[in-house]
Amino acid sequence: MNPFFLFNKMFLMNRSFLWLLFWINFLGTIYGYIWYGGQLAYTAITEPLWLLVFVPDSPTASLFFTITILFLLYPPSTRYKWITVVRQIVEGLAVVCSVKYGVWAVAIIFAGWFEGAPMYATDFMLIASHLGMAIEVLLYLRFMSVGKAGLLLATGWLLLNDTIDYTYGVYPNLPTQLHDNVSTVKWFTVTLSIISLFISLFVFKFKKRS
């Protein structure tokens, strides 16, 4: 089979394949929230409850993409402006958040290994799943209704999330070996939010050519 077929609209927008992606992302989202369960519980006990929304990053990104798949399967009517606006916001969040946290998780795992963290089988699962997050949203960006405004708004959310994470200490758990490098991780995280926007805008440029 021609490998470029995997980028073909007929393949990507096939309803059976979309449903497969939906369930993979849906179950991955649930697993992600379970993964954050301990940190969510600790935050609920020790911090103001409004901080909880800023704790789980990757599963929230995959949740946005899961909803985006439903929009692709069942495009909502454009007669109602508010539905269009909601869709564009969700899709914008799906794109930049999935790119950012997909790359971030992989980079942190490799940084931990470089600093001497042990390799676990779950690390390789996390690398594959998070790379998949970043790749799938970029592949599907051309089929979304999101515009530049939605991508910019979503990046604003990312920067707010970064600010909350490293101001209140609710950033994702890091390998022990990186605990002395939180400041470096913080600035890498903020920089990656901006880079994710530019990657998304670059792919967006080719949206109308598909």
Short mmCIF file of all heavy atoms in Angstrom, two decimals, residues 28-95:
data_model
loop_
_atom_site.label_atom_id
_atom_site.label_comp_id
_atom_site.label_asym_id
_atom_site.label_seq_id
_atom_site.Cartn_x
_atom_site.Cartn_y
_atom_site.Cartn_z
N GLY A 28 -8.04 6.69 25.95
CA GLY A 28 -6.77 7.30 26.37
C GLY A 28 -7.00 8.48 27.30
O GLY A 28 -6.23 8.70 28.24
N THR A 29 -8.07 9.23 27.06
CA THR A 29 -8.41 10.36 27.93
C THR A 29 -8.75 9.88 29.33
O THR A 29 -8.28 10.44 30.33
CB THR A 29 -9.58 11.15 27.33
OG1 THR A 29 -9.20 11.69 26.06
CG2 THR A 29 -9.99 12.29 28.26
N ILE A 30 -9.58 8.84 29.39
CA ILE A 30 -9.94 8.28 30.70
C ILE A 30 -8.69 7.79 31.43
O ILE A 30 -8.50 8.07 32.63
CB ILE A 30 -10.95 7.13 30.54
CG1 ILE A 30 -12.28 7.68 30.00
CG2 ILE A 30 -11.16 6.39 31.86
CD1 ILE A 30 -13.29 6.61 29.68
N TYR A 31 -7.83 7.06 30.71
CA TYR A 31 -6.59 6.58 31.32
C TYR A 31 -5.74 7.73 31.81
O TYR A 31 -5.13 7.67 32.88
CB TYR A 31 -5.81 5.74 30.29
CG TYR A 31 -4.47 5.26 30.79
CD1 TYR A 31 -4.39 4.14 31.61
CD2 TYR A 31 -3.29 5.91 30.45
CE1 TYR A 31 -3.16 3.68 32.09
CE2 TYR A 31 -2.07 5.47 30.91
CZ TYR A 31 -2.00 4.35 31.72
OH TYR A 31 -0.79 3.91 32.19
N GLY A 32 -5.72 8.82 31.04
CA GLY A 32 -4.92 9.98 31.41
C GLY A 32 -5.41 10.62 32.70
O GLY A 32 -4.61 10.99 33.57
N TYR A 33 -6.72 10.73 32.84
CA TYR A 33 -7.25 11.31 34.07
C TYR A 33 -7.00 10.40 35.27
O TYR A 33 -6.74 10.87 36.38
CB TYR A 33 -8.74 11.61 33.93
CG TYR A 33 -9.01 12.88 33.15
CD1 TYR A 33 -9.69 12.85 31.93
CD2 TYR A 33 -8.59 14.11 33.63
CE1 TYR A 33 -9.92 14.01 31.21
CE2 TYR A 33 -8.83 15.29 32.91
CZ TYR A 33 -9.49 15.22 31.71
OH TYR A 33 -9.72 16.38 31.01
N ILE A 34 -7.05 9.09 35.04
CA ILE A 34 -6.70 8.15 36.11
C ILE A 34 -5.23 8.31 36.48
O ILE A 34 -4.87 8.27 37.67
CB ILE A 34 -7.00 6.69 35.66
CG1 ILE A 34 -8.51 6.49 35.50
CG2 ILE A 34 -6.43 5.69 36.67
CD1 ILE A 34 -8.89 5.15 34.90
N TRP A 35 -4.37 8.50 35.48
CA TRP A 35 -2.94 8.70 35.70
C TRP A 35 -2.70 9.91 36.61
O TRP A 35 -1.81 9.90 37.46
CB TRP A 35 -2.26 8.91 34.34
CG TRP A 35 -0.78 9.09 34.39
CD1 TRP A 35 -0.09 10.24 34.67
CD2 TRP A 35 0.22 8.09 34.16
NE1 TRP A 35 1.27 10.02 34.61
CE2 TRP A 35 1.49 8.71 34.30
CE3 TRP A 35 0.18 6.74 33.82
CZ2 TRP A 35 2.68 8.02 34.12
CZ3 TRP A 35 1.37 6.06 33.63
CH2 TRP A 35 2.61 6.70 33.79
N TYR A 36 -3.50 10.94 36.42
CA TYR A 36 -3.37 12.16 37.23
C TYR A 36 -4.14 12.07 38.54
O TYR A 36 -4.18 13.06 39.29
CB TYR A 36 -3.89 13.37 36.44
CG TYR A 36 -2.87 14.03 35.56
CD1 TYR A 36 -2.72 13.64 34.22
CD2 TYR A 36 -2.06 15.06 36.03
CE1 TYR A 36 -1.80 14.26 33.39
CE2 TYR A 36 -1.13 15.68 35.21
CZ TYR A 36 -1.00 15.28 33.89
OH TYR A 36 -0.08 15.89 33.08
N GLY A 37 -4.75 10.93 38.81
CA GLY A 37 -5.62 10.80 39.97
C GLY A 37 -4.97 11.21 41.28
O GLY A 37 -5.55 11.96 42.09
N GLY A 38 -3.75 10.74 41.51
CA GLY A 38 -3.06 11.06 42.76
C GLY A 38 -2.79 12.55 42.90
O GLY A 38 -3.00 13.14 43.97
N GLN A 39 -2.34 13.17 41.80
CA GLN A 39 -2.04 14.61 41.85
C GLN A 39 -3.32 15.42 42.00
O GLN A 39 -3.34 16.45 42.70
CB GLN A 39 -1.29 15.04 40.60
CG GLN A 39 -0.78 16.47 40.66
CD GLN A 39 0.06 16.87 39.46
OE1 GLN A 39 0.33 16.05 38.57
NE2 GLN A 39 0.49 18.12 39.42
N LEU A 40 -4.41 14.98 41.36
CA LEU A 40 -5.69 15.67 41.51
C LEU A 40 -6.18 15.60 42.95
O LEU A 40 -6.65 16.61 43.51
CB LEU A 40 -6.73 15.05 40.57
CG LEU A 40 -6.60 15.41 39.09
CD1 LEU A 40 -7.46 14.50 38.23
CD2 LEU A 40 -7.00 16.87 38.85
N ALA A 41 -6.05 14.42 43.55
CA ALA A 41 -6.50 14.25 44.94
C ALA A 41 -5.66 15.12 45.88
O ALA A 41 -6.20 15.78 46.78
CB ALA A 41 -6.41 12.78 45.34
N TYR A 42 -4.36 15.13 45.67
CA TYR A 42 -3.47 15.93 46.52
C TYR A 42 -3.77 17.42 46.37
O TYR A 42 -3.82 18.16 47.36
CB TYR A 42 -2.02 15.65 46.14
CG TYR A 42 -1.02 16.47 46.93
CD1 TYR A 42 -0.67 16.10 48.23
CD2 TYR A 42 -0.44 17.61 46.38
CE1 TYR A 42 0.25 16.85 48.96
CE2 TYR A 42 0.47 18.37 47.10
CZ TYR A 42 0.81 17.98 48.40
OH TYR A 42 1.70 18.74 49.11
N THR A 43 -4.00 17.85 45.14
CA THR A 43 -4.31 19.26 44.90
C THR A 43 -5.63 19.65 45.54
O THR A 43 -5.76 20.74 46.11
CB THR A 43 -4.35 19.55 43.38
OG1 THR A 43 -3.09 19.19 42.79
CG2 THR A 43 -4.63 21.01 43.11
N ALA A 44 -6.61 18.75 45.45
CA ALA A 44 -7.92 19.04 46.05
C ALA A 44 -7.83 19.22 47.55
O ALA A 44 -8.59 20.00 48.14
CB ALA A 44 -8.90 17.91 45.71
N ILE A 45 -6.90 18.52 48.18
CA ILE A 45 -6.75 18.58 49.64
C ILE A 45 -5.93 19.80 50.06
O ILE A 45 -6.24 20.44 51.07
CB ILE A 45 -6.09 17.29 50.16
CG1 ILE A 45 -7.02 16.10 49.93
CG2 ILE A 45 -5.75 17.41 51.65
CD1 ILE A 45 -6.37 14.77 50.23
N THR A 46 -4.90 20.13 49.28
CA THR A 46 -3.92 21.13 49.72
C THR A 46 -4.07 22.49 49.06
O THR A 46 -3.47 23.46 49.52
CB THR A 46 -2.49 20.62 49.46
OG1 THR A 46 -2.32 20.41 48.05
CG2 THR A 46 -2.24 19.32 50.21
N GLU A 47 -4.83 22.58 47.97
CA GLU A 47 -4.91 23.83 47.22
C GLU A 47 -6.38 24.22 46.98
O GLU A 47 -7.28 23.39 47.16
CB GLU A 47 -4.21 23.68 45.86
CG GLU A 47 -2.76 23.26 45.92
CD GLU A 47 -1.83 24.36 46.44
OE1 GLU A 47 -2.30 25.51 46.55
OE2 GLU A 47 -0.66 24.07 46.71
N PRO A 48 -6.63 25.46 46.59
CA PRO A 48 -7.99 25.87 46.21
C PRO A 48 -8.52 24.99 45.08
O PRO A 48 -7.78 24.63 44.16
CB PRO A 48 -7.82 27.32 45.76
CG PRO A 48 -6.57 27.79 46.44
CD PRO A 48 -5.67 26.59 46.52
N LEU A 49 -9.80 24.67 45.14
CA LEU A 49 -10.37 23.73 44.18
C LEU A 49 -10.31 24.23 42.74
O LEU A 49 -10.28 23.43 41.79
CB LEU A 49 -11.83 23.41 44.56
CG LEU A 49 -12.01 22.60 45.85
CD1 LEU A 49 -13.49 22.37 46.13
CD2 LEU A 49 -11.28 21.26 45.77
N TRP A 50 -10.27 25.57 42.54
CA TRP A 50 -10.26 26.09 41.17
C TRP A 50 -8.98 25.71 40.43
O TRP A 50 -8.93 25.75 39.20
CB TRP A 50 -10.45 27.61 41.16
CG TRP A 50 -9.38 28.40 41.84
CD1 TRP A 50 -9.35 28.79 43.14
CD2 TRP A 50 -8.18 28.91 41.24
NE1 TRP A 50 -8.21 29.51 43.40
CE2 TRP A 50 -7.46 29.61 42.25
CE3 TRP A 50 -7.64 28.87 39.95
CZ2 TRP A 50 -6.25 30.24 42.01
CZ3 TRP A 50 -6.42 29.49 39.71
CH2 TRP A 50 -5.74 30.17 40.72
N LEU A 51 -7.94 25.30 41.17
CA LEU A 51 -6.69 24.90 40.52
C LEU A 51 -6.79 23.53 39.86
O LEU A 51 -5.95 23.18 39.03
CB LEU A 51 -5.55 24.88 41.55
CG LEU A 51 -5.02 26.24 42.01
CD1 LEU A 51 -4.01 26.06 43.12
CD2 LEU A 51 -4.42 27.01 40.84
N LEU A 52 -7.82 22.76 40.21
CA LEU A 52 -7.93 21.40 39.67
C LEU A 52 -7.97 21.38 38.14
O LEU A 52 -7.43 20.47 37.51
CB LEU A 52 -9.18 20.71 40.24
CG LEU A 52 -9.11 20.29 41.71
CD1 LEU A 52 -10.46 19.74 42.16
CD2 LEU A 52 -8.02 19.26 41.93
N VAL A 53 -8.61 22.36 37.54
CA VAL A 53 -8.73 22.37 36.09
C VAL A 53 -7.38 22.51 35.40
O VAL A 53 -7.21 22.11 34.24
CB VAL A 53 -9.69 23.50 35.64
CG1 VAL A 53 -9.07 24.87 35.84
CG2 VAL A 53 -10.10 23.31 34.18
N PHE A 54 -6.39 23.02 36.12
CA PHE A 54 -5.07 23.24 35.53
C PHE A 54 -4.12 22.06 35.75
O PHE A 54 -2.99 22.10 35.28
CB PHE A 54 -4.44 24.51 36.11
CG PHE A 54 -5.21 25.76 35.78
CD1 PHE A 54 -6.08 26.32 36.70
CD2 PHE A 54 -5.07 26.37 34.54
CE1 PHE A 54 -6.79 27.49 36.39
CE2 PHE A 54 -5.77 27.52 34.22
CZ PHE A 54 -6.64 28.08 35.15
N VAL A 55 -4.55 21.05 36.47
CA VAL A 55 -3.66 19.92 36.80
C VAL A 55 -3.48 18.95 35.64
O VAL A 55 -2.35 18.71 35.20
CB VAL A 55 -4.15 19.19 38.07
CG1 VAL A 55 -3.32 17.93 38.31
CG2 VAL A 55 -4.06 20.12 39.28
N PRO A 56 -4.54 18.34 35.11
CA PRO A 56 -4.34 17.36 34.03
C PRO A 56 -4.18 18.04 32.68
O PRO A 56 -5.10 18.71 32.21
CB PRO A 56 -5.63 16.52 34.09
CG PRO A 56 -6.66 17.44 34.65
CD PRO A 56 -5.96 18.47 35.49
N ASP A 57 -3.05 17.87 32.05
CA ASP A 57 -2.77 18.56 30.79
C ASP A 57 -3.03 17.67 29.57
O ASP A 57 -3.89 17.98 28.74
CB ASP A 57 -1.33 19.07 30.78
CG ASP A 57 -1.09 20.15 31.82
OD1 ASP A 57 -2.04 20.91 32.12
OD2 ASP A 57 0.03 20.23 32.35
N SER A 58 -2.30 16.59 29.44
CA SER A 58 -2.43 15.73 28.26
C SER A 58 -3.83 15.14 28.11
O SER A 58 -4.38 15.14 27.00
CB SER A 58 -1.39 14.61 28.31
OG SER A 58 -0.09 15.14 28.19
N PRO A 59 -4.45 14.62 29.18
CA PRO A 59 -5.80 14.07 28.99
C PRO A 59 -6.82 15.12 28.59
O PRO A 59 -7.76 14.82 27.85
CB PRO A 59 -6.14 13.44 30.36
CG PRO A 59 -5.19 14.05 31.32
CD PRO A 59 -3.96 14.36 30.54
N THR A 60 -6.64 16.36 29.05
CA THR A 60 -7.55 17.41 28.64
C THR A 60 -7.37 17.73 27.16
O THR A 60 -8.33 17.97 26.43
CB THR A 60 -7.35 18.68 29.49
OG1 THR A 60 -7.57 18.35 30.87
CG2 THR A 60 -8.33 19.78 29.09
N ALA A 61 -6.11 17.71 26.70
CA ALA A 61 -5.84 17.92 25.28
C ALA A 61 -6.50 16.82 24.44
O ALA A 61 -7.13 17.09 23.41
CB ALA A 61 -4.33 17.94 25.03
N SER A 62 -6.36 15.57 24.87
CA SER A 62 -6.97 14.47 24.11
C SER A 62 -8.49 14.51 24.21
O SER A 62 -9.19 14.07 23.29
CB SER A 62 -6.43 13.11 24.59
OG SER A 62 -6.78 12.86 25.93
N LEU A 63 -9.03 15.06 25.31
CA LEU A 63 -10.48 15.24 25.42
C LEU A 63 -10.97 16.21 24.36
O LEU A 63 -11.99 15.96 23.70
CB LEU A 63 -10.84 15.76 26.82
CG LEU A 63 -12.31 16.15 27.03
CD1 LEU A 63 -13.22 14.94 26.87
CD2 LEU A 63 -12.50 16.78 28.41
N PHE A 64 -10.25 17.31 24.16
CA PHE A 64 -10.63 18.28 23.14
C PHE A 64 -10.61 17.63 21.75
O PHE A 64 -11.49 17.88 20.92
CB PHE A 64 -9.70 19.49 23.16
CG PHE A 64 -9.88 20.39 24.35
CD1 PHE A 64 -8.79 20.85 25.07
CD2 PHE A 64 -11.15 20.79 24.75
CE1 PHE A 64 -8.96 21.69 26.16
CE2 PHE A 64 -11.33 21.62 25.84
CZ PHE A 64 -10.23 22.08 26.55
N PHE A 65 -9.59 16.79 21.48
CA PHE A 65 -9.54 16.15 20.17
C PHE A 65 -10.63 15.10 20.02
O PHE A 65 -11.18 14.89 18.93
CB PHE A 65 -8.17 15.53 19.91
CG PHE A 65 -8.04 14.97 18.51
CD1 PHE A 65 -8.09 15.82 17.41
CD2 PHE A 65 -7.89 13.61 18.30
CE1 PHE A 65 -7.98 15.31 16.12
CE2 PHE A 65 -7.78 13.10 17.01
CZ PHE A 65 -7.83 13.95 15.92
N THR A 66 -10.98 14.42 21.11
CA THR A 66 -12.08 13.45 21.08
C THR A 66 -13.38 14.14 20.68
O THR A 66 -14.15 13.63 19.86
CB THR A 66 -12.23 12.78 22.45
OG1 THR A 66 -11.00 12.13 22.80
CG2 THR A 66 -13.35 11.73 22.42
N ILE A 67 -13.62 15.32 21.25
CA ILE A 67 -14.81 16.09 20.90
C ILE A 67 -14.73 16.55 19.45
O ILE A 67 -15.73 16.55 18.71
CB ILE A 67 -14.98 17.29 21.84
CG1 ILE A 67 -15.18 16.82 23.29
CG2 ILE A 67 -16.16 18.17 21.41
CD1 ILE A 67 -15.15 17.93 24.32
N THR A 68 -13.52 16.91 19.02
CA THR A 68 -13.32 17.33 17.63
C THR A 68 -13.69 16.22 16.66
O THR A 68 -14.29 16.47 15.60
CB THR A 68 -11.85 17.75 17.41
OG1 THR A 68 -11.58 18.92 18.19
CG2 THR A 68 -11.58 18.06 15.94
N ILE A 69 -13.35 14.99 16.99
CA ILE A 69 -13.71 13.86 16.13
C ILE A 69 -15.22 13.75 16.00
O ILE A 69 -15.76 13.47 14.92
CB ILE A 69 -13.12 12.55 16.68
CG1 ILE A 69 -11.60 12.60 16.65
CG2 ILE A 69 -13.61 11.36 15.84
CD1 ILE A 69 -10.93 11.40 17.30
N LEU A 70 -15.94 14.00 17.10
CA LEU A 70 -17.41 13.98 17.03
C LEU A 70 -17.92 15.07 16.10
O LEU A 70 -18.90 14.87 15.37
CB LEU A 70 -18.01 14.15 18.43
CG LEU A 70 -17.89 12.95 19.37
CD1 LEU A 70 -18.50 13.28 20.72
CD2 LEU A 70 -18.57 11.71 18.78
N PHE A 71 -17.27 16.24 16.12
CA PHE A 71 -17.66 17.31 15.19
C PHE A 71 -17.44 16.87 13.74
O PHE A 71 -18.22 17.24 12.85
CB PHE A 71 -16.84 18.57 15.47
CG PHE A 71 -17.27 19.34 16.69
CD1 PHE A 71 -16.33 19.89 17.54
CD2 PHE A 71 -18.62 19.51 16.97
CE1 PHE A 71 -16.73 20.61 18.66
CE2 PHE A 71 -19.02 20.23 18.09
CZ PHE A 71 -18.08 20.78 18.94
N LEU A 72 -16.37 16.11 13.50
CA LEU A 72 -16.11 15.63 12.15
C LEU A 72 -17.12 14.55 11.74
O LEU A 72 -17.52 14.49 10.57
CB LEU A 72 -14.69 15.07 12.06
CG LEU A 72 -13.55 16.08 12.26
CD1 LEU A 72 -12.19 15.37 12.24
CD2 LEU A 72 -13.59 17.17 11.20
N LEU A 73 -17.52 13.74 12.68
CA LEU A 73 -18.50 12.70 12.40
C LEU A 73 -19.90 13.27 12.22
O LEU A 73 -20.66 12.83 11.35
CB LEU A 73 -18.50 11.67 13.53
CG LEU A 73 -17.34 10.68 13.57
CD1 LEU A 73 -17.27 9.98 14.92
CD2 LEU A 73 -17.50 9.64 12.45
N TYR A 74 -20.22 14.25 13.04
CA TYR A 74 -21.55 14.86 13.02
C TYR A 74 -21.41 16.38 13.00
O TYR A 74 -21.57 17.05 14.03
CB TYR A 74 -22.37 14.42 14.24
CG TYR A 74 -22.52 12.93 14.35
CD1 TYR A 74 -21.74 12.19 15.25
CD2 TYR A 74 -23.43 12.24 13.54
CE1 TYR A 74 -21.88 10.81 15.35
CE2 TYR A 74 -23.57 10.86 13.63
CZ TYR A 74 -22.79 10.16 14.54
OH TYR A 74 -22.93 8.80 14.64
N PRO A 75 -21.08 16.94 11.84
CA PRO A 75 -20.89 18.40 11.75
C PRO A 75 -22.14 19.14 12.21
O PRO A 75 -23.24 18.89 11.69
CB PRO A 75 -20.63 18.63 10.26
CG PRO A 75 -20.15 17.31 9.75
CD PRO A 75 -20.88 16.28 10.54
N PRO A 76 -22.01 20.03 13.19
CA PRO A 76 -23.18 20.77 13.67
C PRO A 76 -23.65 21.81 12.65
O PRO A 76 -22.87 22.24 11.79
CB PRO A 76 -22.66 21.45 14.95
CG PRO A 76 -21.19 21.56 14.75
CD PRO A 76 -20.78 20.36 13.93
N SER A 77 -24.88 22.18 12.75
CA SER A 77 -25.44 23.19 11.85
C SER A 77 -24.73 24.53 12.02
O SER A 77 -24.39 24.92 13.14
CB SER A 77 -26.94 23.37 12.13
OG SER A 77 -27.45 24.46 11.41
N THR A 78 -24.51 25.20 10.91
CA THR A 78 -23.87 26.52 10.96
C THR A 78 -24.91 27.64 11.11
O THR A 78 -24.55 28.82 11.08
CB THR A 78 -23.04 26.76 9.68
OG1 THR A 78 -23.89 26.61 8.53
CG2 THR A 78 -21.89 25.76 9.60
N ARG A 79 -26.17 27.26 11.26
CA ARG A 79 -27.21 28.29 11.41
C ARG A 79 -27.06 29.04 12.73
O ARG A 79 -27.48 30.18 12.84
CB ARG A 79 -28.59 27.65 11.34
CG ARG A 79 -29.00 27.16 9.96
CD ARG A 79 -30.44 26.71 9.97
NE ARG A 79 -30.64 25.64 10.97
CZ ARG A 79 -31.85 25.22 11.35
NH1 ARG A 79 -32.93 25.81 10.87
NH2 ARG A 79 -31.96 24.24 12.23
N TYR A 80 -26.48 28.35 13.72
CA TYR A 80 -26.35 28.95 15.04
C TYR A 80 -24.89 29.36 15.26
O TYR A 80 -24.00 28.52 15.34
CB TYR A 80 -26.79 27.99 16.13
CG TYR A 80 -28.21 27.51 15.93
CD1 TYR A 80 -28.46 26.24 15.41
CD2 TYR A 80 -29.29 28.34 16.23
CE1 TYR A 80 -29.76 25.80 15.22
CE2 TYR A 80 -30.59 27.90 16.03
CZ TYR A 80 -30.83 26.64 15.52
OH TYR A 80 -32.11 26.22 15.33
N LYS A 81 -24.67 30.67 15.34
CA LYS A 81 -23.32 31.20 15.43
C LYS A 81 -22.58 30.67 16.65
O LYS A 81 -21.38 30.37 16.58
CB LYS A 81 -23.38 32.74 15.49
CG LYS A 81 -22.02 33.43 15.51
CD LYS A 81 -21.27 33.23 14.21
CE LYS A 81 -19.97 34.01 14.21
NZ LYS A 81 -19.19 33.79 12.97
N TRP A 82 -23.28 30.51 17.77
CA TRP A 82 -22.61 30.10 19.00
C TRP A 82 -22.04 28.70 18.89
O TRP A 82 -20.99 28.40 19.47
CB TRP A 82 -23.56 30.20 20.19
CG TRP A 82 -24.68 29.20 20.20
CD1 TRP A 82 -25.91 29.33 19.65
CD2 TRP A 82 -24.65 27.89 20.79
NE1 TRP A 82 -26.67 28.20 19.84
CE2 TRP A 82 -25.92 27.30 20.55
CE3 TRP A 82 -23.69 27.18 21.50
CZ2 TRP A 82 -26.24 26.02 20.99
CZ3 TRP A 82 -24.01 25.89 21.94
CH2 TRP A 82 -25.27 25.33 21.70
N ILE A 83 -22.72 27.84 18.13
CA ILE A 83 -22.20 26.48 17.94
C ILE A 83 -20.90 26.52 17.15
O ILE A 83 -19.94 25.81 17.47
CB ILE A 83 -23.25 25.59 17.23
CG1 ILE A 83 -24.49 25.42 18.11
CG2 ILE A 83 -22.64 24.23 16.89
CD1 ILE A 83 -25.58 24.58 17.47
N THR A 84 -20.87 27.35 16.12
CA THR A 84 -19.66 27.50 15.32
C THR A 84 -18.50 28.01 16.17
O THR A 84 -17.37 27.54 16.06
CB THR A 84 -19.91 28.46 14.14
OG1 THR A 84 -20.97 27.95 13.33
CG2 THR A 84 -18.64 28.62 13.30
N VAL A 85 -18.79 29.00 17.02
CA VAL A 85 -17.76 29.58 17.89
C VAL A 85 -17.24 28.53 18.86
O VAL A 85 -16.02 28.38 19.05
CB VAL A 85 -18.31 30.80 18.65
CG1 VAL A 85 -17.30 31.26 19.70
CG2 VAL A 85 -18.62 31.94 17.69
N VAL A 86 -18.14 27.78 19.48
CA VAL A 86 -17.74 26.73 20.42
C VAL A 86 -16.87 25.70 19.71
O VAL A 86 -15.83 25.27 20.23
CB VAL A 86 -18.97 26.05 21.06
CG1 VAL A 86 -18.56 24.78 21.81
CG2 VAL A 86 -19.68 27.01 22.01
N ARG A 87 -17.29 25.30 18.52
CA ARG A 87 -16.52 24.30 17.76
C ARG A 87 -15.12 24.81 17.47
O ARG A 87 -14.13 24.08 17.64
CB ARG A 87 -17.23 23.95 16.47
CG ARG A 87 -16.44 22.96 15.62
CD ARG A 87 -17.15 22.58 14.34
NE ARG A 87 -16.36 21.61 13.59
CZ ARG A 87 -16.72 21.08 12.41
NH1 ARG A 87 -17.88 21.42 11.86
NH2 ARG A 87 -15.93 20.20 11.81
N GLN A 88 -15.01 26.06 17.04
CA GLN A 88 -13.69 26.61 16.70
C GLN A 88 -12.79 26.72 17.92
O GLN A 88 -11.58 26.50 17.83
CB GLN A 88 -13.86 27.97 16.02
CG GLN A 88 -14.47 27.88 14.63
CD GLN A 88 -14.68 29.23 13.99
OE1 GLN A 88 -14.58 30.26 14.65
NE2 GLN A 88 -14.98 29.23 12.70
N ILE A 89 -13.37 27.04 19.07
CA ILE A 89 -12.57 27.12 20.30
C ILE A 89 -12.08 25.74 20.70
O ILE A 89 -10.90 25.55 21.03
CB ILE A 89 -13.40 27.75 21.44
CG1 ILE A 89 -13.66 29.23 21.15
CG2 ILE A 89 -12.69 27.58 22.78
CD1 ILE A 89 -14.60 29.89 22.13
N VAL A 90 -12.99 24.75 20.67
CA VAL A 90 -12.61 23.38 21.05
C VAL A 90 -11.54 22.85 20.10
O VAL A 90 -10.55 22.24 20.55
CB VAL A 90 -13.85 22.45 21.05
CG1 VAL A 90 -13.43 20.98 21.17
CG2 VAL A 90 -14.79 22.82 22.18
N GLU A 91 -11.71 23.09 18.81
CA GLU A 91 -10.73 22.58 17.84
C GLU A 91 -9.40 23.30 17.99
O GLU A 91 -8.33 22.67 17.86
CB GLU A 91 -11.29 22.75 16.43
CG GLU A 91 -12.45 21.81 16.14
CD GLU A 91 -13.01 21.96 14.75
OE1 GLU A 91 -12.68 22.96 14.06
OE2 GLU A 91 -13.79 21.09 14.33
N GLY A 92 -9.42 24.59 18.28
CA GLY A 92 -8.18 25.31 18.52
C GLY A 92 -7.44 24.75 19.72
O GLY A 92 -6.22 24.54 19.68
N LEU A 93 -8.18 24.48 20.79
CA LEU A 93 -7.58 23.88 21.98
C LEU A 93 -7.05 22.48 21.68
O LEU A 93 -5.98 22.09 22.17
CB LEU A 93 -8.61 23.82 23.12
CG LEU A 93 -8.97 25.17 23.75
CD1 LEU A 93 -10.24 25.04 24.60
CD2 LEU A 93 -7.82 25.69 24.60
N ALA A 94 -7.79 21.73 20.87
CA ALA A 94 -7.36 20.37 20.51
C ALA A 94 -6.02 20.41 19.80
O ALA A 94 -5.12 19.61 20.08
CB ALA A 94 -8.41 19.70 19.63
N VAL A 95 -5.86 21.37 18.88
CA VAL A 95 -4.64 21.43 18.06
C VAL A 95 -3.43 21.84 18.89
O VAL A 95 -2.46 21.08 19.03
CB VAL A 95 -4.83 22.38 16.86
CG1 VAL A 95 -3.52 22.54 16.10
CG2 VAL A 95 -5.91 21.84 15.93
#
